[in-house]
Amino acid sequence: LGLGLADQRHSNLREAYAALKMAGELLPNSETAQAAFADLCLNLYVSDQTRPKAVYDQLSGVADRLLAGNAGSFEGLRLKGSVALLDHRFDQAIDWFQKADQVKPMQPNVVLPLVRSLLETNRKREAEQLALQLIAAEKTAEPTYDLLYLFYTRENRAADAEKILEQKVENNPNSATARLQLAAHYVRLKQRPEMARALKPMLDRPKEFPNGQLQVGDFYSSIGDGQGAL
């Protein structure tokens, strides 16, 4: 199990698959081992445009086995929701994710796909409030901010879109990704002073941003500012 997780962190997915599959076979009653293998299968399935049926079947099988052993299994409920979401069965996905949230509230790996499922069924207000609750509980859950930013942008709520990016930076002050994202937002609004202000800590604080000069240089290059990049 440890080897598989380590391989996965280093993007050695073939080795991770073999190790986590073996871990699941050796630890059939371990939710941790079963869920680790199922999550890898989920990632492999989503990232493969061919959508391999064998990987889907393994993911679905783990979810069914966990719930057969314990109808209230958090991991089983979460994985059943993930399978339903893959199949675009959004109402069923919402039901599974909500049950998982009742077992273990405000877990990002449940709330985020639940928010996506709610948006797919046009339950926008409910989705927005749930995402904001997750941010309040888990300020470092950066994908939540991204999902809200995309939602606000699509809804033409420009002020809310900017506010959520600013909140992301405020709550994650040492995140280069958050600062670069906010800077890109200001570029689109043609607000160069605000863009520079968002990037300035990456240049001034080398301990927190050891690659800051390179990242900001790349950013300037990406917006066509050769002098700034130099």
Side-chain angles (χ1 to χ4, degrees):
L1 175 60
L3 175 62
L5 293 173
D7 277 326
Q8 189 172 5
R9 283 194 297 272
H10 288 85
S11 299
N12 300 323
L13 299 184
R14 184 185 298 274
E15 294 83 353
Y17 178 88
L20 292 178
K21 185 173 186 296
M22 178 64 72
E25 294 170 355
L26 293 171
L27 298 169
N29 298 319
S30 167
E31 277 204 5
T32 301
Q34 299 297 320
F37 176 60
D39 281 333
L40 177 60
C41 288
L42 176 60
N43 292 336
L44 291 173
Y45 183 82
V46 170
S47 62
D48 190 335
Q49 293 184 351
T50 67
R51 299 294 189 263
K53 183 177 183 300
V55 176
Y56 174 95
D57 290 343
Q58 287 173 322
L59 166 62
S60 182
V62 171
D64 290 338
R65 288 194 298 274
L66 287 173
L67 289 177
N70 174 15
S73 164
F74 168 78
E75 297 293 0
L77 294 167
R78 177 180 68 83
L79 292 168
K80 285 291 283 188
S82 298
V83 172
L85 185 55
L86 288 176
D87 294 339
H88 294 176
R89 293 181 281 113
F90 301 116
D91 288 330
Q92 292 180 31
I94 290 169
D95 184 54
W96 288 115
F97 286 133
Q98 287 178 334
K99 288 178 180 177
D101 187 57
Q102 290 173 0
V103 175
K104 194 180 293 187
M106 283 293 126
Q107 300 301 305
N109 60 354
V110 167
V111 176
L112 275 173
L114 174 55
V115 169
R116 293 190 184 99
S117 301
L118 290 168
L119 289 174
E120 289 288 351
T121 54
N122 210 34
R123 294 162 64 175
K124 298 178 182 179
R125 180 63 177 169
E126 189 177 350
E128 179 185 3
Q129 290 303 310
L130 186 59
L132 291 172
Q133 289 175 28
L134 178 57
I135 286 176
E138 296 284 345
K139 290 181 171 58
T140 59
E142 294 192 31
T144 315
Y145 301 89
D146 299 339
L147 188 58
L148 277 172
Y149 178 70
L150 183 61
F151 168 67
Y152 290 141
T153 301
R154 288 175 174 173
E155 294 292 305
N156 294 317
R157 293 168 58 179
D160 288 327
E162 183 171 330
K163 182 179 177 182
I164 200 66
L165 288 186
E166 291 174 343
Q167 187 177 358
K168 181 180 181 181
V169 170
E170 180 181 350
N171 290 337
N172 302 273
N174 296 331
S175 168
T177 301
R179 291 189 175 278
L180 292 168
Q181 189 177 12
L182 179 59
H185 174 78
Y186 287 135
V187 169
R188 287 190 288 272
L189 297 179
K190 303 186 187 311
Q191 297 178 358
R192 296 295 288 256
E194 288 80 0
M195 176 206 77
R197 187 169 63 248
L199 296 173
K200 191 173 186 300
M202 296 179 64
L203 303 175
D204 294 345
R205 290 158 39 194
K207 288 185 177 180
E208 290 85 358
F209 301 98
N211 296 317
Q213 300 284 349
L214 176 60
Q215 290 170 311
V216 173
D218 284 343
F219 178 84
Y220 275 106
S221 180
S222 72
I223 63 174
D225 185 343
Q227 188 59 43
L230 283 174

